[in-house]
Amino acid sequence: MIMIKIFHKRIAALALLCILLVTGCKKGFLNTVPDNITTLKDIFTNKSMTEQWLARCYSSVPDMWDQPYNNSWSGMCDEVDYAWVRPGINSGAITSDNASPNLWNPYYQTIRLCGVFLQNADQNKEIQDQPNGVQLLKQYKAEARFLRAYYYWLMMKLYGPVVIIGDVPKDASADFQIPRNTWDECVDFVLSEMDKAYIDVPEQHMNPGNPAEVDNSQTGRINKAVILAVKSQVLLFHASPLYNGNTDLASFKNPDGKALINQTYDKERWKKAADAALAVINTNRFQLFRVVNADPFQAAFLSCRNLFFDGYPKEGIWIRSSSNNSQWERHVSPRCSNGNAWNGIALTQEMVDVFRMANGKRITDNTSGYTETGYTATGSNFYVAGTNNMYVGREARFYVDVTFNGATIPVVPEEGKTRVECYFTGNSGKKGAPRDWPSTGYTARKNVHPNTDFRNGKYVSRPAMMIRLGEIYLNYAEALNEYNPGHPDVLTYLNLIRDRGGLPPVLGGSQDEIRKHIRAERQIELMYEGHRFWDVRRWKIADLPESHQGGEFHGMNIEEGTSLSDPAFHKRIVSFTRAAWDNKYYFYPVPQSEMDRNKKLVQSPGY
């Protein structure tokens, strides 16, 4: 985030101090503090160090493009397969002793850092004595309050109901035998904290030297729209089947018998979710990013591709100014990219088949025009002559999101290279490298800038949109369809997303039919952006075969092929197999070390 860049000089020392504060020590044990040790009073009476502490509170906000190592949700669902990372949930080896990622302790540590800030920031007279300093300190505290609630929210998505520690950070000698709060209690706490924070954060962060001008150096800091957008996410989950009257979790209880998931379905939760999304839309601050072009298909392609390069000022609601885009680009780009990219994030055939034809019809529709027979005699901006017909005539987002055999190279190509060859002996095929090949014969492509040049170290720096308007439109359409099917806004906002992608509008249908359209749009529109893993869980459909959350995954036959149009390569086979879905995967296990410490803590179901 931008604050980390601004206040970076002493962050390493502060990090060490934070660790010491989190671990603590018993009263009387080495309680003499040497003169050269920084204390909490030193920090919170010094403006610079107080702001550094707040920067530390921001530092755990995740980066969705930091894949595959630190944000690997796409590789733990049906979206992609990582060549070098094998999450335990995929093999079925996940237990309370080895669950990765283990975010329980890191998030609680950051929650504590936010709490310490809230308890101590008022000591800072240096900030308060500045012009408008009292309000600035209120803003800082509101940011910390929101972030504390946000980290609880991230934990809730992963672990379900968690332990709410409370407003005052506990001393290390306190009693930490604390049971989980119920899901409803967790939601109420998070929303209440966000509402409190909302009062004291600005609409936008303006330039102090020119209050009429937005201060772009503060990109990523919490404002009112960010809080409204995160509340939209929380309330959408709260209304969803996993948490709303889920009788399959009736036995998920604390030791005293208190049920952790409400057993009574509440339709009104969908209304609250719809209202929360509409509140974001009604700020009138954001627009769907679009590129104008005389060719409607090219306009759709450029709108969806360039959204991640040029669209964040219009569509981005919460923007992460620092993002690991370059790592993502190198991992997903085929080896024929200039500088030999790593070619290792493989898109599954199951995801490839989700994309519609340009006419909006599914490939399973006999009238769609889809065929896997033959090869095109003419090329285009997206593929060369000789490409299999299964990749011809697809919707615009297909060419934004998928690199396939015969596709044009997504970045600056190597000299003399014009196309991606995924067949066995091709320029990005299995024979050409010991491990730099995709398991399915496809790689991901979204958010890969065409001017990236690995050999010359040229990357186009850009922020990442953690929440964007496209997501909020889909949140609104989904919640409204569940609460009030037939409301005209459902199709209005669904079709705004489809229209940007070059698809014809949905004209009507039953609630269930519209639900399927909305879910398909989320799957395609938000692909790789860290949603699919959570969506199939909150919808409580991860156990269905059509959700593809375990078992066999398919692709092309990467062991075969000596030419672009070789039928031996263009053959659907099982590319890899994961453990069958188990309902315990709806939640992650609490680390066993925490279970051993806190005897009132119940484990997630099934572990």
Side-chain angles (χ1 to χ4, degrees):
M1 309 299 290
I2 194 70
M3 291 188 66
I4 301 171
K5 293 181 178 178
I6 295 173
F7 306 132
H8 69 283
K9 291 183 179 179
R10 300 181 185 175
I11 204 70
L14 275 174
L16 177 59
L17 174 62
C18 293
I19 293 170
L20 294 173
L21 288 169
V22 170
T23 55
C25 58
K26 293 184 178 180
K27 187 176 181 180
F29 179 70
L30 297 179
N31 58 359
T32 300
V33 180
D35 292 339
N36 63 342
I37 298 296
T38 303
T39 66
L40 276 178
K41 184 175 181 181
D42 294 329
I43 292 169
F44 287 105
T45 55
N46 179 279
K47 177 179 181 292
S48 177
M49 295 184 76
T50 299
E51 290 173 333
Q52 288 178 51
W53 191 287
L54 180 58
R56 177 68 176 169
C57 294
Y58 273 89
S59 65
S60 295
V61 173
D63 175 7
M64 79 285 282
W65 299 113
D66 192 11
Q67 299 183 45
Y69 299 111
N70 295 319
N71 198 7
S72 53
W73 308 118
S74 288
M76 292 191 284
C77 64
D78 54 338
E79 286 189 325
V80 300
D81 179 50
Y82 298 133
W84 311 292
V85 178
R86 295 286 181 259
I89 198 170
N90 291 353
S91 66
I94 183 173
T95 70
S96 58
D97 286 318
N98 68 1
S100 179
N102 177 3
L103 298 174
W104 185 275
N105 287 328
Y107 278 145
Y108 270 122
Q109 288 176 3
T110 311
I111 285 167
R112 179 173 175 80
L113 296 183
C114 296
V116 169
F117 186 94
L118 289 169
Q119 289 299 303
N120 291 277
D122 284 335
Q123 299 178 56
N124 200 303
K125 302 303 180 185
E126 185 180 355
I127 294 176
Q128 296 180 64
D129 288 343
Q130 293 185 129
N132 202 35
V134 172
Q135 181 56 42
L136 182 61
L137 190 60
K138 285 183 179 181
Q139 175 194 309
Y140 285 172
K141 290 177 66 178
E143 291 176 61
R145 186 176 296 280
F146 167 82
L147 288 167
R148 181 174 65 174
Y150 179 68
Y151 294 126
Y152 273 120
W153 164 234
L154 294 180
M155 292 187 69
M156 290 160 58
K157 289 169 65 177
L158 190 57
Y159 299 103
V162 295
V163 178
I164 304 296
I165 300 300
D167 204 48
V168 179
K170 295 182 181 295
D171 186 77
S173 61
D175 180 10
F176 283 98
Q177 300 297 304
I178 309 172
R180 294 194 196 220
N181 289 81
T182 68
W183 173 265
D184 291 2
E185 289 170 346
C186 291
V187 169
D188 289 345
F189 174 80
V190 165
L191 294 177
S192 174
E193 290 292 282
M194 291 184 181
D195 286 341
K196 292 175 185 176
Y198 184 87
I199 297 169
D200 289 318
V201 298
E203 295 283 349
Q204 292 178 278
H205 292 270
M206 310 306 289
N207 188 337
N210 181 3
E213 179 182 82
V214 174
D215 187 355
N216 290 325
S217 71
Q218 302 304 304
T219 297
R221 291 186 68 175
I222 308 306
N223 58 37
K224 291 188 187 300
V226 169
I227 294 178
L228 291 176
V230 174
K231 286 181 62 178
S232 169
Q233 293 180 332
V234 174
L235 286 164
L236 188 70
F237 273 67
H238 190 44
S240 296
L242 184 62
Y243 312 99
N244 191 359
N246 185 357
T247 56
D248 289 342
L249 291 176
S251 61
F252 190 17
K253 298 178 179 180
N254 277 334
D256 63 0
K258 187 176 184 179
L260 293 174
I261 301 291
N262 194 314
Q263 297 297 289
T264 304
Y265 174 74
D266 181 2
K267 183 180 178 181
E268 293 302 310
R269 291 187 184 182
W270 287 112
K271 183 179 188 306
K272 292 177 181 178
D275 289 345
L278 187 59
V280 182
I281 295 168
N282 285 344
T283 63
N284 295 316
R285 277 188 48 205
F286 310 100
Q287 299 174 351
L288 281 189
F289 174 76
R290 304 195 71 140
V291 173
V292 177
N293 191 283
D295 178 353
F297 191 88
Q298 188 71 5
F301 170 77
L302 293 174
S303 295
C304 295
R305 188 195 69 172
N306 295 3
L307 166 63
F308 298 92
F309 318 141
D310 307 320
Y312 56 87
K314 286 187 175 181
E315 187 161 337
I317 298 172
W318 192 4
I319 298 174
R320 197 182 204 285
S321 62
S322 174
S323 179
N324 210 354
N325 292 312
S326 60
Q327 277 285 100
W328 164 259
E329 289 181 309
R330 190 143 203 168
H331 275 293
V332 303
S333 293
R335 214 170 48 250
C336 59
S337 303
N338 199 351
N340 292 342
W342 293 330
N343 199 31
I345 297 184
L347 187 67
T348 66
Q349 187 72 50
E350 283 71 17
M351 293 300 289
V352 169
D353 292 345
V354 167
F355 291 91
R356 278 70 60 96
M357 300 298 288
N359 58 22
K361 296 182 179 181
R362 297 179 183 277
I363 66 171
T364 52
D365 187 329
N366 291 332
T367 65
S368 69
Y370 177 77
T371 179
E372 296 184 7
T373 302
Y375 302 85
T376 181
T378 57
S380 72
N381 293 337
F382 314 111
Y383 49 81
V384 298
T387 297
N388 191 284
N389 282 326
M390 73 174 80
Y391 309 128
V392 175
R394 302 296 286 269
E395 64 168 289
R397 287 176 296 185
F398 177 81
Y399 302 107
V400 173
D401 291 358
V402 186
T403 295
F404 50 89
N405 189 52
T408 53
I409 297 170
V411 298
V412 176
E414 285 190 44
E415 186 176 352
K417 300 290 196 305
T418 61
R419 65 197 188 191
V420 180
E421 299 170 353
C422 302
Y423 55 88
F424 183 67
T425 61
N427 58 33
S428 298
K430 185 176 179 180
K431 186 178 181 181
R435 65 176 187 176
D436 293 346
W437 40 265
S439 60
T440 62
Y442 304 99
T443 56
R445 192 176 180 110
K446 176 189 281 188
N447 195 26
V448 176
H449 200 286
N451 293 337
T452 295
D453 182 345
F454 301 118
R455 179 163 297 164
N456 295 308
K458 180 182 177 182
Y459 298 93
V460 179
S461 179
R462 57 195 182 275
M465 292 178 288
M466 297 172 57
I467 306 177
R468 57 186 177 91
L469 188 61
E471 175 195 341
I472 299 300
Y473 279 4
L474 292 171
N475 289 359
Y476 181 48
E478 177 183 343
L480 195 57
N481 184 59
E482 298 300 331
Y483 181 73
N484 188 9
H487 191 292
D489 276 3
V490 175
L491 292 184
T492 294
Y493 285 91
L494 170 63
N495 286 330
L496 283 170
I497 298 297
R498 289 174 61 91
D499 184 65
R500 198 235 320 249
L503 296 180
V506 175
L507 299 178
S510 68
Q511 181 187 37
D512 184 59
E513 288 170 337
I514 301 303
R515 181 186 295 125
K516 289 177 180 177
H517 279 298
I518 292 168
R519 290 181 176 181
E521 283 305 312
R522 287 189 71 92
Q523 188 175 10
I524 294 171
E525 176 68 19
L526 304 175
M527 193 174 289
Y528 319 135
E529 295 180 54
H531 292 273
R532 177 69 176 169
F533 177 91
W534 308 107
D535 279 345
V536 293
R537 283 160 171 76
R538 68 177 178 84
W539 290 330
K540 202 185 168 194
I541 62 169
D543 60 326
L544 300 181
E546 55 266 32
S547 295
H548 302 295
Q549 296 304 298
E552 294 180 344
F553 288 84
H554 298 81
M556 295 291 99
N557 188 358
I558 63 172
E559 302 289 346
E560 299 290 342
T562 58
S563 66
L564 179 67
S565 304
D566 194 333
F569 170 80
H570 297 100
K571 182 179 179 182
R572 290 170 180 260
I573 65 166
V574 176
S575 296
F576 60 91
T577 302
R578 293 177 181 168
W581 171 263
D582 189 312
N583 282 342
K584 70 181 183 179
Y585 300 152
Y586 275 113
F587 298 119
Y588 251 52
V590 176
Q592 189 58 45
S593 58
E594 294 303 310
M595 297 297 301
D596 293 340
R597 292 189 193 103
N598 184 357
K599 301 305 181 183
K600 291 187 178 181
L601 195 60
V602 294
Q603 185 55 276
S604 300
Y607 295 97

